[in-house]
């Protein structure tokens, strides 16, 4: 049996490579938001058409996450990750070198296909490098890397594109992806799928798995019903200037990084609490924006609460997927990623329907109520009796019992 790398520096290097890959994928997904006008002018397409580059990306991840995880579950993880990162590198270069809008769209959809499977595979691979008792900390550091994409990756990529050309940050992202690819290809052993403690849920439970999945869908739909239109809210309702709005969005992003940094180390000790608290915080932030959004002070506080909860909610649901997965954890994580991206699309659509009839302020009321429903669902999970074990997960054939290092 091929075991996880024993040298501590191997483990840390692989974790760093996965963090870099998560940062690169998330930055690639959202970069067109910052380069909207540059791409529009250069390719001679409308701003809405450039916006579809982000919409199409998210919908692709939502639709294919589960099917592609099922289709590849028998492939060695090292091979899967190498192919996914190769797709990221090549599609980023095609995006940078091409001069056609549709070529750019196709290249981004290829990247979206790769990202859909990457999020399912990355968690079990990273967690499997370390002892079971620190899996929450591992998920936490991966989440910090993903959150930094919006706070650091997109702003820096936007600045770089403004100083040179919109294609330049894509070339840089290709370079980052190549670095991750080489590290993983060289250091990650070719182990059989299903090996190790991270391959299956530590406390399999179909009922709790379903509740966490519903929580993801409801909370994300609620969040993006309002957050999609937050710029309009800050200008029309709160009365902030364009310059202030940019600073407030940065505050929201920084709050998100702080949130996952604080919550990550707590995931192992308080797995339920680290999901309940962020969902409750998100509900308070959204309903608070509806109630106090006409005051600048109230808006700043509630926006920080909202921004600080978004990352921890997804991080904590991923951690619960690793606990309650009724089968292979990558399938559970793919389902959660699909629910997340479906929630993003559904939230934006729901907010768009509310906006013309009830106004932008009401989008946060609707989003807050959906988040409160997610919180209620989580409370029902606490009342469920423990699941009766129907199979033994840890056997001498599936678990690597060699000594492990902490991250």
């Amino acid at each position: 049996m091929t075991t996880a790398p024993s040298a501590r520096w191997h483990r840390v290097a692989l974790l760093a490579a996965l963090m870099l890959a998560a940062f690169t994928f998330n930055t690639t997904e959202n970069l067109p938001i910052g380069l909207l006008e540059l791409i529009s002018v250069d390719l001679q397409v409308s701003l809405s058409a450039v916006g579809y580059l982000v919409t199409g990306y998210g919908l692709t991840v939502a639709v294919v996450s589960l099917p592609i995880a099922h289709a590849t579950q028998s492939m060695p993880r090292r091979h899967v990750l190498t192919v996914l990162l190769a797709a990221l590198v090549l599609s980023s270069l095609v995006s940078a070198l091409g001069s056609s809008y549709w070529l750019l769209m196709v290249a981004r959809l290829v990247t979206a296909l790769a990202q859909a499977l990457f999020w399912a595979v990355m968690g079990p691979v990273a967690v499997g490098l370390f002892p079971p008792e620190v899996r929450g900390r591992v998920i936490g550091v991966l989440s910090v890397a993903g959150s930094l994409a919006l706070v650091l990756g997109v702003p820096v990529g936007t600045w770089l594109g403004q100083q040179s050309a919109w294609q330049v940050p894509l070339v840089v992202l290709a370079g980052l992806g190549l670095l991750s690819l080489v590290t993983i290809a060289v250091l990650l052993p070719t182990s059989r799928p299903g090996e190790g403690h991270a391959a299956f849920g530590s406390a399999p439970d179909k009922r709790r798995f379903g509740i966490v999945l519903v929580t993801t869908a409801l909370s994300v739909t609620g969040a993006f019903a309002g957050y999609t239109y937050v710029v309009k809210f800050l200008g029309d309702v709160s009365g902030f200037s364009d310059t202030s709005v940019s600073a407030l969005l940065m505050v929201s992003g920084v709050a998100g990084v702080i949130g996952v940094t604080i919550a990550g180390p707590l995931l192992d000790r308080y797995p339920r609490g680290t999901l309940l608290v962020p969902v409750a915080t998100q509900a308070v932030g959204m309903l608070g924006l509806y109630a106090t959004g006409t005051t600048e002070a109230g808006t700043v506080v509630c926006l920080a609460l909202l921004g600080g909860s978004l990352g921890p909610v997804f991080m904590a649901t991923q951690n619960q997927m690793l606990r309650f997965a009724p089968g292979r954890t990558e399938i559970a994580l793919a389902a959660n990623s699909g629910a997340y991206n479906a929630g993003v699309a559904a939230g934006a659509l729901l907010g768009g329907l509310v906006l013309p009839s009830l106004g932008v302020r009401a989008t946060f009321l609707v989003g807050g109520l959906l988040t409160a429903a997610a919180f209620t669902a989580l409370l029902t999970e606490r009342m469920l009796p423990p699941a009766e074990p129907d199979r033994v997960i840890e056997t001498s054939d599936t678990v690597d019992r060699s000594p492990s290092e902490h991250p």
Side-chain angles (χ1 to χ4, degrees), residues 113-402:
L113 287 171
Q115 180 167 330
L117 185 56
F118 174 79
W119 286 115
V121 173
M122 172 189 66
V125 169
V127 167
L129 296 171
F130 301 96
E133 60 268 20
V134 297
R135 60 170 48 185
R137 287 172 56 190
V138 175
I139 292 296
V141 297
L142 291 174
S143 297
V144 170
S147 298
L148 283 173
L150 291 175
V151 180
L152 180 63
V154 173
V156 172
T158 301
W159 175 86
L160 187 58
Q162 292 170 340
Q163 300 304 309
S164 49
W166 64 266
Q167 294 92 340
V168 172
L170 293 174
V171 175
V172 173
L173 289 171
L176 296 178
L178 182 61
L179 180 59
S180 296
L181 187 158
V182 171
T183 303
I184 290 170
V186 171
L187 296 181
L188 187 65
T190 307
S191 57
R192 296 195 304 268
E195 276 185 3
H197 67 83
F200 296 93
S202 57
D205 191 321
K206 291 181 180 179
R207 303 161 303 168
R208 288 180 166 84
F209 166 79
I211 288 174
V212 175
L213 205 59
V214 168
T215 298
T216 297
L218 285 175
S219 64
V220 175
T221 301
F224 282 88
Y227 200 72
T228 303
Y229 308 97
V230 68
V231 172
K232 182 174 178 61
F233 179 93
L234 293 174
D236 294 359
V237 178
S238 304
F240 287 102
S241 65
D242 292 343
T243 303
S244 299
V245 167
S246 299
L248 285 171
L249 293 179
M250 181 62 70
V251 168
S252 176
V254 170
V257 175
I258 294 173
V260 294
T261 302
I262 293 174
L266 301 176
L267 285 173
D268 295 306
R269 295 180 62 188
Y270 310 106
R272 283 193 175 95
T274 46
L275 180 53
L276 273 168
V277 171
V279 172
T281 302
Q282 179 182 310
V284 170
M286 299 204 72
L287 294 174
L289 282 168
Y290 170 75
T292 67
T294 54
T295 66
E296 292 188 354
T299 298
V300 172
V301 171
C302 292
L303 187 63
L305 290 175
L306 176 58
S309 63
L310 294 178
V313 167
F314 183 64
M315 177 182 67
T317 58
Q318 292 286 84
N319 186 58
Q320 292 292 66
M321 287 287 136
L322 290 172
R323 294 182 66 212
F324 299 139
R328 289 273 290 275
T329 50
E330 66 239 31
I331 302 300
L333 291 173
N336 198 48
S337 179
Y340 181 92
N341 283 278
V344 172
L349 177 61
L350 177 61
L353 294 174
V354 171
L355 186 64
S357 56
L358 299 177
V360 68
R361 191 175 176 185
T363 63
F364 284 88
L365 173 61
V366 172
L369 293 176
L370 281 173
T371 308
F375 182 79
T376 302
L378 281 178
L379 292 180
T380 66
E381 184 271 322
R382 297 178 69 89
M383 295 184 289
L384 291 176
E388 294 186 7
D390 55 3
R391 62 184 175 85
V392 177
I393 299 297
E394 297 190 2
T395 69
S396 59
D397 293 328
T398 60
V399 178
D400 172 22
R401 300 188 186 278
S402 59

Side-chain angles (χ1 to χ4, degrees), residues 27-50:
T27 301
T28 301
E29 178 178 6
N30 294 286
L31 188 59
I33 296 173
L35 301 175
L36 204 68
E37 293 188 1
L38 292 175
I39 297 175
S40 173
V41 172
D42 187 46
L43 299 183
Q44 297 181 349
V45 295
S46 67
L47 292 176
S48 296
V50 181

